[in-house]
Amino acid sequence: MEALANLAEELHHKLAPMHPGYYDLDTCRHLAQVVEQIRALKAKRNAVILAHNYQRPEIFEVADFIGDSLELARKAAGVEADVIVFCGVHFMAETAKILNPKKTVLLPDLRAGCSLADSVTAEEIVERRKELQAVYPDLAVVAYVNTTAAVKAVVDVCCTSSNAVTIVNRLPNQHILFVPDQHLGEYVQQHTEKTILTWNGSCYVHHQITPENIVRIKQALPHARVLVHPECRADVIALADAVLSTSGMVEYARRSEATEFVVVTECGLSDRLFLEVPEKTFYKACKLCQFMKMITLDRTLWSLETMQHEIVLEEEVRQGAERSLRRMLELTA
Ligand code: 13P
Ligand code: SF4
């Protein structure tokens, strides 16, 4: 009883300053109970919890590993436990299943999708590749990991926000169809001699962020470094001091001699920065991802209790997707 009360106090102390009014003591008492139940059930089921950087901060309390898409893919490939509970969105849980097919992979809420992953289908890519190859016979198709397993199965290689430029530059092909994020595709084009043909997809979260808000913060805080995710629009990227993946931002903030930063991505990353780099100050120029926020501590407990929702893939699709993901991992090994 005393241990539980202490945990509730600890959570309140840690989380309340980040979101005043939300993590009151009653809420933290409930969260502490759920945290304890999840920890016990994880041991019973021989499960690990992998969490993306955008998750709610209470999820970090039960996570065995927190990271960006690339780090999570690498981690998932090496998991030895029987069960992986993925606190992130659907394509991330699929990636874990693709790379570690013998494990049971669970996503606590099937509504945790991704607007970017929804913006392209495998059939559309097959058709577009045919059209473009008639003009550019050496065409390669590069898919951002924010895609379905079916899409990954019909492309040449995958990439993430942290390695997109490297992957494109290391391919032997001169012409690249880059799907589905137009903004990341445009960003890659600025950093390569190759010809990038983009797709008309975007992340609804990053697409909403406009330059005006950042310019206003910069005028008040001219010394603050502006950290921008490459899913942002080109006019937002133009204001960046550094363009980084989510974990790239954490690393940059930790190592930089600067003490103030404007964080331009999904708001959950600011929570991770407040917790991990408490000696520095972070200003939010961010938006919330409704999909990431579908995952709650209660849903995570439910997932472990009921062993739902299990990610199941057709073996042919899984193998095709694994080929594209493994090629990415090899090209950046
Ligand atoms: P990262 O790989 O940089 O964490 O990005 C994932 C994502 O979904 C960004 O919106
Ligand atoms: Fe998808 Fe955008 Fe949410 Fe990332 S932030 S999961 S790209 S909708």
Side-chain angles (χ1 to χ4, degrees):
M1 269 321 260
E2 199 187 321
L4 207 56
N6 289 344
L7 181 57
E9 286 284 351
E10 195 189 300
L11 288 176
H12 181 61
H13 181 74
K14 208 194 275 188
L15 306 180
M18 294 194 307
H19 296 277
Y22 186 74
Y23 293 103
D24 59 35
L25 201 48
D26 270 350
T27 303
C28 290
R29 280 191 192 109
H30 171 70
L31 292 178
Q33 251 174 11
V34 183
V35 165
E36 289 288 273
Q37 285 173 281
I38 290 175
R39 285 178 183 160
L41 211 45
K42 259 201 317 184
K44 188 172 157 200
R45 300 263 195 239
N46 190 22
V48 290
I49 296 183
L50 304 186
H52 186 262
N53 288 322
Y54 292 158
Q55 288 291 292
R56 297 164 185 265
E58 59 269 33
I59 298 282
F60 299 156
E61 293 296 317
V62 293
D64 296 277
F65 184 78
I66 309 164
D68 67 10
S69 307
L70 183 60
E71 291 172 327
L72 288 165
R74 288 212 171 105
K75 196 75 190 172
V79 162
E80 284 181 3
D82 297 325
V83 179
I84 300 171
V85 181
F86 211 105
C87 292
V89 291
H90 193 274
F91 76 83
M92 296 177 177
E94 267 192 349
T95 299
K97 183 70 183 176
I98 292 163
L99 293 171
N100 212 340
K102 294 213 165 72
K103 308 298 173 189
T104 300
V105 178
L106 305 175
L107 181 68
D109 195 318
L110 284 179
R111 292 171 302 170
C114 169
S115 69
L116 203 43
D118 287 345
S119 65
V120 67
T121 65
E123 293 73 24
E124 286 169 329
I125 291 178
V126 170
E127 198 177 317
R128 188 77 182 124
R129 186 203 280 271
K130 225 186 276 167
E131 285 165 11
L132 287 170
Q133 264 176 344
V135 189
Y136 310 112
D138 78 322
L139 186 89
V141 185
V142 177
Y144 192 30
V145 278
N146 299 39
T147 43
T148 60
V151 164
K152 290 182 176 80
V154 297
V155 302
D156 296 296
V157 62
C158 291
C159 72
T160 72
S161 61
S162 61
N163 64 20
V165 173
T166 308
I167 294 286
V168 164
N169 282 333
R170 289 189 181 166
L171 287 174
N173 318 60
Q174 177 61 29
H175 294 91
I176 311 288
L177 172 61
F178 191 94
V179 299
D181 188 1
Q182 57 178 304
H183 301 312
L184 182 59
E186 283 162 21
Y187 174 73
V188 172
Q189 182 64 88
Q190 288 172 2
H191 294 84
T192 182
E193 299 288 306
K194 302 192 176 193
T195 305
I196 308 292
L197 304 144
T198 54
W199 196 264
N200 194 20
S202 63
C203 157
Y204 89 100
V205 178
H206 290 88
H207 194 72
Q208 287 175 68
I209 301 175
T210 57
E212 290 75 25
N213 193 16
I214 300 157
V215 169
R216 215 175 313 118
I217 300 177
K218 271 299 271 183
Q219 276 163 356
L221 300 158
H223 303 301
R225 297 271 169 89
V226 179
L227 311 183
V228 175
H229 195 276
E231 285 175 20
C232 287
R233 296 165 17 171
D235 53 3
V236 171
I237 288 184
L239 298 168
D241 290 301
V243 181
L244 298 158
S245 78
T246 55
S247 288
M249 290 185 189
V250 178
E251 209 38 44
Y252 185 100
R254 230 183 239 138
R255 288 170 181 236
S256 171
E257 77 289 354
T259 55
E260 295 187 324
F261 303 88
V262 185
V263 184
V264 189
T265 185
E266 205 275 340
C267 297
L269 191 75
S270 307
D271 294 339
R272 180 145 192 233
L273 287 163
F274 286 128
L275 290 169
E276 302 240 340
V277 199
E279 68 282 12
K280 301 195 176 177
T281 311
F282 301 97
Y283 299 92
K284 295 182 180 189
C286 62
K287 296 280 177 193
L288 282 173
C289 174
Q290 58 167 336
F291 302 112
M292 285 282 177
K293 274 28 183 191
M294 292 294 169
I295 309 294
T296 61
L297 216 46
D298 286 311
R299 291 298 292 183
T300 305
L301 174 61
W302 172 85
S303 184
L304 273 164
E305 283 168 345
T306 61
M307 296 298 281
Q308 289 191 65
H309 297 280
E310 187 175 350
I311 303 290
V312 181
L313 293 168
E314 258 179 53
E315 184 53 17
E316 198 184 330
V317 171
R318 192 202 65 76
Q319 282 180 15
E322 184 175 17
R323 176 192 42 76
S324 301
L325 282 165
R326 295 265 173 219
R327 192 167 180 207
M328 167 183 82
L329 297 174
E330 282 157 21
L331 281 170
T332 51

